[in-house]
């Protein structure tokens, strides 16, 4: 396993990071085994969050005895100072540790949330926690390139977590990536596999590896996936012409309709699970056909009939997607493929 410095933090992080969200989908003993295997293979970076269900508790159990060898990141979504600090303390308790290496503002992706973070004294409070030694470094997770520029005004800004994949190229092939590098900010790449929407892990990781300062953080739930992703990250071969052709094809296919699954359009007043419905066509293309027809998926697709076209979701989507049209297309697609009226 190779390691690299994470921006100016002084942390030496494994070239592959482990995302612990998936721990909520597998038995606890399997999650613990995955962490131990990852650690034995040299992975020393694990990412979780206060709102990843019981991920922090499971990770806390898994890292018993090796905590001081690891770099752990977690996050809080709260924009209220007291709640934010409560969540920090809960994170430490659940992880069974007295410090967290990186603590991030989760989803600092729109200006309204960013303004609240600034006005509610959270940064100042976190700096105090940092001085006390509870937090090593302060960071943000963000899905919106327009908000990222605001972080540079905060002296304590050291780490960012943002989507890095060949479809969300607004973060890599625009000036966002280079500015972060020039400012020596540690970059954690979330959704390197498009949040499950891109199924060629080798191609995805070849793309991410072009951005040498990025530590991709992948949610993994099987030992096989873990071994394969490590092998892809260790492999030195870059993107060949045929890979670029494949990327071009996928980009064209997903076009301007690539829902990043960030959830910023939620909640919908009509209770429509927008990212889930937007995932229908992608699921059909990329996952086994026998799993496609599913009661839960059908229920979500049919809820699109309740859309009142209020436009709230489109206003909130950082990618300016035509959500109302996309929802209808995905609903119709499901009903057609499932042979429903
Ligand atoms: S436009 Fe439809 S899907 Fe979007 S928030 Fe309004 S009701 Fe929900
Ligand atoms: S529709 Fe937009 S805001 Fe909603 S999940 Fe997809 S990309 Fe995110």
């Amino acid at each position: 396993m190779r390691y690299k410095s994470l921006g100016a933090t002084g942390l030496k992080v494994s070239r592959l990071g482990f995302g612990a969200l998936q721990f909520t989908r597998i038995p606890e003993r399997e999650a613990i085994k995955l962490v131990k295997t990852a650690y034995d293979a040299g992975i020393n970076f694990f990412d979780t969050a206060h709102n990843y269900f019981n991920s922090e508790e499971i990770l806390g159990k898994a890292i018993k005895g090796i905590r001081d060898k690891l770099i752990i990141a977690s996050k809080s979504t709260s924009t209220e100072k007291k709640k934010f600090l409560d969540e920090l303390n809960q994170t430490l308790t659940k992880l069974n540790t007295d410090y967290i290496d990186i603590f991030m503002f989760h989803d600092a992706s729109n200006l309204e949330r960013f303004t609240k973070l600034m006005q509610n004294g959270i940064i100042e409070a976190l700096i105090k926690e940092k001085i006390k030694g509870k937090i090593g470094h302060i960071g943000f997770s963000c899905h919106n390139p327009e908000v990222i520029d605001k972080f540079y005004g905060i002296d304590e800004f050291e780490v960012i977590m943002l989507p890095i994949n060949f479809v969300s190229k607004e973060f890599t092939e625009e000036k966002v990536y280079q500015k972060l590098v020039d400012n020596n900010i540690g970059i954690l790449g979330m959704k390197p596999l498009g949040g499950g929407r891109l199924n060629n892990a080798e191609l995805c990781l070849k793309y991410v590896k072009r951005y040498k300062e990025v530590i991709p953080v992948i949610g993994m739930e099987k030992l096989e996936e873990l071994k394969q992703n490590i092998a892809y990250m260790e492999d030195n071969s870059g993107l060949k012409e045929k890979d670029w052709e494949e990327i071009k094809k996928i980009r064209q296919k997903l076009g301007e309709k690539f829902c990043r699954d960030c959830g910023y359009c939620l909640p919908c007043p009509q209770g429509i699970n927008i990212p889930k419905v937007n995932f229908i066509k992608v699921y059909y293309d990329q996952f086994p056909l026998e799993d496609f027809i599913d009661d839960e998926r059908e229920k979500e697709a049919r809820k699109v009939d309740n859309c009142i076209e209020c436009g709230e979701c489109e206003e909130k989507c950082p990618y300016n997607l035509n959500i109302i049209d996309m929802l209808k297309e995905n609903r119709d697609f499901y009903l057609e493929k499932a042979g429903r009226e």
Side-chain angles (χ1 to χ4, degrees):
M1 179 63 61
R2 277 171 280 195
Y3 298 83
K4 77 171 310 311
S5 299
L6 187 67
T9 61
L11 299 171
K12 288 270 183 229
V13 178
S14 50
R15 201 61 188 82
L16 177 64
F18 199 124
L21 171 61
Q22 259 80 352
F23 289 176
T24 57
R25 292 157 44 120
I26 55 176
E28 190 175 298
R29 64 176 189 290
E30 283 179 29
I32 291 172
K33 190 169 176 202
L34 270 169
V35 173
K36 304 270 187 233
T37 311
Y39 171 69
D40 288 343
I43 291 180
N44 71 351
F45 178 76
F46 292 84
D47 173 71
T48 180
H50 179 78
N51 69 352
Y52 287 173
F53 310 99
N54 58 348
S55 160
E56 288 179 326
E57 282 104 323
I58 298 173
L59 186 59
K61 288 181 191 170
I63 62 176
K64 216 170 165 198
I66 50 171
R67 193 275 166 263
D68 60 335
K69 310 269 195 312
L70 303 177
I71 296 161
I72 310 281
S74 192
K75 334 174 186 70
S76 163
T77 48
S78 181
T79 51
E80 300 303 323
K81 185 167 84 176
K82 184 174 177 316
K83 190 157 182 248
F84 196 95
L85 292 176
D86 281 350
E87 291 191 359
L88 166 64
N89 288 325
Q90 286 170 36
T91 288
L92 296 177
T93 306
K94 289 179 195 168
L95 286 169
N96 203 14
T97 184
D98 53 5
Y99 72 99
I100 185 98
D101 302 272
I102 302 168
F103 202 64
M104 290 185 272
F105 297 93
H106 201 165
D107 290 352
S109 292
N110 65 49
L111 283 178
E112 196 191 331
R113 277 178 61 69
F114 177 77
T115 308
K116 280 190 189 161
L117 290 175
M118 296 305 288
Q119 287 174 347
N120 291 350
I122 294 177
I123 306 270
E124 293 75 6
L126 276 189
I127 293 170
K128 283 188 192 154
E129 298 302 315
K130 195 175 164 188
I131 293 166
K132 284 188 224 158
K134 270 194 199 174
I135 299 174
H137 305 277
I138 297 172
F140 298 85
S141 76
C142 183
H143 290 75
N144 186 348
E146 283 173 26
V147 180
I148 293 172
D149 264 348
K150 307 277 172 200
F151 303 150
Y152 292 107
I154 300 168
D155 289 345
E156 297 290 324
F157 168 41
E158 284 184 278
V159 179
I160 191 160
M161 186 164 202
L162 74 178
I164 303 282
N165 58 64
F166 57 75
V167 185
S168 304
K169 55 184 183 168
E170 58 273 16
F171 297 101
T172 46
E173 292 171 31
E174 305 296 331
K175 290 182 183 143
V176 177
Y177 171 75
Q178 197 50 50
K179 188 168 174 184
L180 290 167
V181 174
D182 292 345
N183 283 277
N184 217 0
I185 303 295
I187 309 173
L188 303 171
M190 68 166 116
K191 301 189 168 90
L193 313 186
R197 280 147 163 83
L198 304 168
N199 63 358
N200 186 338
E202 185 176 13
L203 187 67
C204 289
L205 291 180
K206 272 188 188 174
Y207 179 83
V208 173
K209 277 190 290 181
R210 300 177 76 229
Y211 300 95
K212 298 201 181 326
E213 299 307 317
V214 172
I215 303 294
V217 179
I218 307 185
M220 293 174 269
E221 55 186 73
K222 293 190 185 118
L223 281 173
E224 199 44 48
E225 274 172 353
L226 170 66
K227 285 177 194 159
Q228 240 175 19
N229 289 332
I230 292 172
Y232 294 149
M233 283 309 291
E234 295 285 290
D235 179 36
N236 281 328
S237 61
L239 289 165
K240 307 274 188 314
E241 208 180 316
K242 67 170 180 28
D243 296 322
W244 279 112
E245 279 165 20
E246 179 67 13
I247 287 176
K248 201 169 147 199
K249 258 200 281 174
I250 296 171
R251 281 176 174 167
Q252 272 167 357
K253 193 166 179 193
L254 296 176
E256 298 307 309
K257 295 188 173 174
F258 183 73
C259 171
R260 275 74 166 172
D261 195 23
C262 62
Y264 296 120
C265 48
L266 300 174
C268 155
Q270 296 299 99
I272 300 167
N273 186 335
I274 297 166
K276 189 154 188 191
V277 176
N278 281 343
F279 194 47
I280 286 175
K281 278 186 173 184
V282 187
Y283 195 100
Y284 183 83
D285 281 343
Q286 302 201 358
F287 294 90
L289 204 53
E290 59 270 22
D291 296 336
F292 178 71
I293 300 172
D294 169 78
D295 288 349
E296 200 47 43
R297 206 178 330 277
E298 180 159 341
K299 202 167 118 200
E300 292 300 337
R302 287 193 187 277
K303 273 198 209 158
V304 174
D305 295 341
N306 301 336
C307 174
I308 50 173
E309 303 199 5
C310 64
E312 270 184 38
C313 53
E314 293 192 356
E315 269 170 41
K316 288 188 276 186
C317 174
Y319 305 103
N320 301 317
L321 300 184
N322 295 319
I323 298 176
I324 300 172
D325 291 345
M326 286 170 67
L327 290 174
K328 289 179 191 164
E329 278 172 31
N330 277 285
R331 174 201 57 194
D332 294 348
F333 184 87
Y334 179 85
L335 296 179
E336 186 204 323
K337 295 293 175 198
R340 306 280 200 268
E341 289 291 307

